[in-house]
Amino acid sequence: MLLGYGSAMIEPESGYLLSRVATLRLGKATIRLPNVLFCETTGRDEYGNMFEALLTREAISTEKTQFVAPRNEMVDGPRGAETAERLVTMPNFIPFSSLIGGIGRNYEREREAPVFVAVGRGGELSAELEGVKAGLVDLSNAAEIARDPYDFILSVSTARDAIGGRSALYAPGVANPLNLALLIYSGVDIVDSTSSDLSAMAGEVFVDGSAWNASVLGEGVCHCPACMSRKADRALWHNRYQLLAELNRCRHAIESGGLREYLEARATSPWNSELLRYADEDFHSYFERHAASAGITITASTEHSLRRPEVRRYVNRFTGRYMPPVLKVLLLVPCSNRKPYFMSKSHRLFASAIRASSNPSQVHTVTVTSPLGLVPEELETVFPAAHYDIPVTGRWSMEEKKRATDMLDTLLARGNYTCVVAHLEDEREFITEHLAHKGVDFVDTSGGSTRKAESLSRLTDELGRGSGEERIHWEDRMRMLLGNIAAFQFGPGGRKLLDGTRLTGRYPNLRIFRGDRQLGMLTGQRGVISLTLDGAEAICREVPGYCVNMGDFDLVGNLFAPGVLEAGKDLRKGDEAIVMRAGAVEAVGVASMSALEMLDAAKGEAVHVRHLTKRAAQA
Amino acid sequence: MAVTTAPHLSQPLLRSIREAASTERARAMKDLDPYSYVSSWTEEETHNGSDCSALVMILATKGCSWALRSGCSMCGYTNDSASGATDESIWVQYGKAVSALSEQRIVKIYTSGSFLDTFEISHGLRLRILSDLYPRVDEIVVETRHEYITRQNLESISAFRDKLVLAVGLESSNDAVLNYSVNKPSNYAHFLKTTKLASDIGFRIKSYLMLKPPFMSEGDAVNDAVRTATEISQHTYSISVNPTNIQKDTVVELMWRKGNFRPPWLWSVVEVLKRTHSLDKRVLSKPTGAGTVRGAHNCGRCDTAVMKGIADYSRHRRLETLESLDCGCRRVWEAEMRLSSLSQPFFAVDYRKRIAERGVGVAGI
């Protein structure tokens, strides 16, 4: 992928949501993202080779990439942005000049220079950054904005929304080794060491996840080069090495797909914790728009995991898109360590107990779990239901319980179950209490241990009692369940895919046919339905959020970003995407980028095509 | 009067600060009793090198003409005016205040605007007050914007010139700072012209300069003050460094509330005094509200000592007084001075409070 404006380009290598490991080219200067600009006020380069970039007041002699800080235009007069090899000179500006009641609202600056210095905050930034085509946007007031984590995430997200992924975002004066991961996660590409340096001067040092009094460095808590050898300015250099180490750790976390888990572990200081809470709760869609629908494993081991974008999206889709199948018995079971659940030993035991009952076709198995709440059997293979890990203590927090019971209420309100069977273990107590409290008739079959032979035979008996005589043909039953997968994948319009179809194969590998034409296939490997061209034709008008409108040219392979005219707003990396050309299906495949990236990118694969319309010309 | 502009600042940008200032000022609705002076006190001073005391009186006039149109970004003295003030009522105020005059050798008469602006003080009243005071004291200090220092005005009071000091708020010799940051419609060239005129006629000019107007980092603010002092030292009798304090209903207060302004460190005042010590003019500072969150302040532990050092230096000009001052927070100030040249922001606004409370800096951020 390649993003940018010609003279300023960003080439991402890997990314997670808004964070990215990338190369930024600003004219002749090149810098890796994310990065920290280390302050150099002595006039010479004091830093070792492991440091990559410096922030200077005037250009100094160095082999590193240096950014010359913007100056106050009132004091030093105007100066435009300039770039040279390993040198970026940021433009002068008037600090704080648009902050209040419109002061300086008419402050005009060059909008297409390599670097643009923004002075506003919060919502003001969307107007200030409108039409800005700069490779780097400096959020000059970031340090003041960051006094309130909510203001900070509001400002960063507003700026990011305005500039898209095509510009790098620089937030001066805010970073320290403790909050760096959060800053990067929020969408900041470049920070500097000013705040961390200043902390050191005030006697505060950062040691991994903690901020401590500098005297702690005498106690053998750190073995960085500064702590091992330096006598003068030890705290200052210690903080700098910490910041550098944290930067490298964040890059690794992005590359290995574990940034979210890494920053959850960092969300221990009040500021970090508040920022993450606001980010997850109030800025969910800002992050979710960039969250892939496949390809990562989620480790949900902190309280914050419950609110991470992928998990919340699952819960929102359950609430917004899911309709329970018309079956008589709702069977609630505990989750398993192995995913998808039906592969696990415990769930195979449950499955044999169900098969042994008199009418298994009427049983709908739903797993009670955290952080996803409830996972109906048909969604077991769908991301992230088959792609998460949790610490198994059997202890449920209030928030976890509430999520599961809220979803259970939704399920019961929408479903037509005539019988509820709870075959549960650690979650037995709060689920049965909740059912009783709601006045729902239920049978408790586990006695607290779900795998004992007597529990399982009790389960078989009770399922038989509740499921009645009316048998549902497996194909009709499976069609309902596949309809749910399609709805989960594409929204309610996706259900149309199953209208008048017949199915072949064995779960989780099922082919969908209408007449003799195959519309699609569920595969255990992907966990969702892959469409054929006929399948795409059948639903393309129902699911505009998953269609990509391409330009009027003959597609010969994969669709690349420059060929995209419009991208359905619901598309995320990993989603099934229908490629449309002038209103007709041209191809179908898997989105390689989110909708926003397809529009931002100048290069790169947008849709990995599986099926392409055959043309007479090609034949 | 003509509104002058710094060359590289656009008119719309300036218009927006003018409007912001007048919006804030509109809140300053306090209207005082036209027959009572605002306040009066006696303070320590020096006259011709020897210690003495000075009577200060602040009279309520109709207010500064500029403040009534827009107003300087830091000035909240509009709250100290009386729309009903007349020559007669101001004379009554003066009479009440001057009754405290006994052994003081200096009298300072301040209004919330300009003594030489006839909108506030008429020709007649001006002469009446000066004639009354002239035989009773050694020195009379009045404040005025330099726009009112005209040949005509000076000649009308030239009889008092040997005892009269005209105190002028220049604030900065940088027109961009003056016009945008201070929001004062003056320019440095005019100041130079009037000081020449005044000294030709035989008046003494005392100049005020502002340390850290809004939209500036600590480092830039110190540099601007030092540069201003250096540039005007040949054209003025003495220089007073006024660190910005937060006054009610001002642009500065609005910015301060939003976390976008912090008064300067007392260390910055010390720095300006040190760096201007070699000038052959007296440079002094009497910071208003120093040591409080609304005035120039340090960490809270050293404020009293540093304020005393500044006061001693202002009277006796002994450099050792300043050089002997120190505190742990000076290291933080030094770091901010260096780092604020790289990254314009003020860092965390309650930074010093945190140092005082916890002995460390910005933990959360």
Side-chain angles (χ1 to χ4, degrees), chain B residues 274-316:
Chain B
K274 276 185 183 173
R275 281 167 61 182
T276 53
H277 181 76
S278 59
L279 300 177
D280 59 1
K281 291 290 158 56
R282 182 171 168 227
V283 182
L284 58 103
S285 181
K286 290 185 178 169
T288 311
T292 72
V293 287
R294 280 180 173 256
H297 59 274
N298 281 352
C299 66
R301 286 176 296 212
C302 63
D303 291 43
T304 312
V306 176
M307 276 152 55
K308 187 174 177 305
I310 292 169
D312 286 352
Y313 177 83
S314 296
R315 295 176 67 195
H316 307 300

Side-chain angles (χ1 to χ4, degrees), chain A residues 432-562:
Chain A
T432 53
E433 256 174 37
H434 182 77
L435 289 170
H437 175 71
K438 290 274 170 177
V440 178
D441 261 344
F442 68 95
V443 196
D444 180 0
T445 52
S446 71
S449 51
T450 53
R451 296 197 228 180
K452 273 192 185 155
E454 51 176 305
S455 305
L456 290 166
S457 76
R458 195 156 52 229
L459 175 62
T460 304
D461 293 348
E462 291 297 340
L463 292 176
R465 237 191 296 283
S467 53
E469 299 292 310
E470 187 196 338
R471 278 165 205 282
I472 301 182
H473 189 267
W474 80 267
E475 193 176 4
D476 294 333
R477 183 178 188 278
M478 206 44 97
R479 197 180 296 112
M480 282 196 282
L481 299 187
L482 279 176
N484 272 346
I485 296 182
F488 201 82
Q489 240 182 300
F490 298 110
R495 271 206 180 81
K496 289 251 162 73
L497 185 70
L498 277 298
D499 286 355
T501 53
R502 65 186 172 82
L503 308 175
T504 66
R506 187 188 155 90
Y507 182 80
N509 299 303
L510 293 166
R511 290 167 196 275
I512 306 162
F513 287 93
R514 187 176 290 158
D516 57 358
R517 295 183 156 238
Q518 187 180 346
L519 300 187
M521 183 179 190
L522 173 72
T523 59
Q525 199 196 357
R526 200 173 159 216
V528 289
I529 297 168
S530 304
L531 297 172
T532 62
L533 289 169
D534 289 322
E537 185 59 49
I539 59 164
C540 64
R541 281 164 194 76
E542 313 292 333
V543 297
Y546 292 89
C547 293
V548 176
N549 289 330
M550 59 173 281
D552 194 16
F553 59 92
D554 291 347
L555 197 58
V556 290
N558 297 323
L559 176 65
F560 287 85

